[in-house]
Amino acid sequence: MAAYALKINGRTHTVDVDPDTPLLWAIRDGAGLMGTKYGCGVAQCGACTVFVDGNTVRSCSLPVSAVGTSEVTTIEGLRGREGAAVQQAWVALDVPQCGYCQSGQVMSATSLLSKNPKPTDRDIDLAMTGNICRCATYVRIRAAIHQAAKSLEG
Ligand code: FES
Ligand code: FES
């Protein structure tokens, strides 16, 4: 066990865990932030997606010892124009079904719009391909990303 001071959503959380503990468990069990979900545990489903220094990361597969002083952002700390636009579009189009995958979907969609403000259907499908939804909300996800992009115009 070792103590790690993790910067999560602008606050420092000290967690005492083994170095190879996935960041996901430091977020959920250490910081008590439950919005980030455990799905597959092997970087295949996207349920655990967070930002580390602004880049999307599968937190189930990143050892806590590799985070260092990087800034971690979870769904609870999502801010900025793109994040707000995505969340508003998600609500307006009633995207979630069971909701389990959706925090990861929102993080990936926000990342996409931060890099590509006018994504095509193909851009969206490529960017979101690593986020699996067992309820198959993909049509609404795509529509919501287009709506969020439109709301960011001008
Ligand atoms: S739980 Fe991390 S990608 Fe599935
Ligand atoms: S909304 Fe149920 S898994 Fe995506």
Side-chain angles (χ1 to χ4, degrees):
M1 301 278 269
Y4 296 92
L6 298 173
K7 292 187 206 162
I8 306 175
N9 301 338
R11 286 186 52 198
T12 299
H13 296 266
T14 302
V15 295
D16 198 8
V17 292
D18 288 332
D20 58 355
T21 301
L23 172 61
L24 173 61
W25 302 121
I27 290 170
R28 287 181 58 86
D29 297 339
L33 296 165
M34 299 299 178
T36 306
K37 305 300 189 204
Y38 172 77
C40 63
V42 289
Q44 294 295 307
C45 76
C48 65
T49 303
V50 299
F51 296 160
V52 174
D53 285 342
N55 300 307
T56 52
V57 164
R58 304 307 193 220
S59 62
C60 68
S61 299
L62 182 69
V64 75
S65 56
V67 176
T69 58
S70 295
E71 302 275 350
V72 177
T73 305
T74 71
I75 189 73
E76 292 90 344
L78 191 60
R79 302 282 183 270
R81 289 180 74 233
E82 289 83 6
V86 166
Q87 289 179 87
Q88 283 162 14
W90 244 245
V91 172
L93 271 66
D94 208 6
V95 172
Q97 192 161 316
C98 81
Y100 197 85
C101 72
Q102 296 290 332
S103 65
Q105 304 280 4
V106 165
M107 299 305 280
S108 292
T110 300
S111 174
L112 167 62
L113 289 179
S114 301
K115 294 178 192 141
N116 180 356
K118 278 193 179 182
T120 63
D121 283 350
R122 181 169 162 71
D123 294 336
I124 292 171
D125 291 348
L126 281 173
M128 302 300 291
T129 193
N131 286 84
I132 308 298
C133 177
R134 293 194 67 170
C135 303
T137 61
Y138 301 113
V139 172
R140 292 200 298 278
I141 286 171
R142 192 199 266 175
I145 291 172
H146 281 306
Q147 179 160 315
K150 198 159 181 50
S151 76
L152 289 165
E153 282 176 3

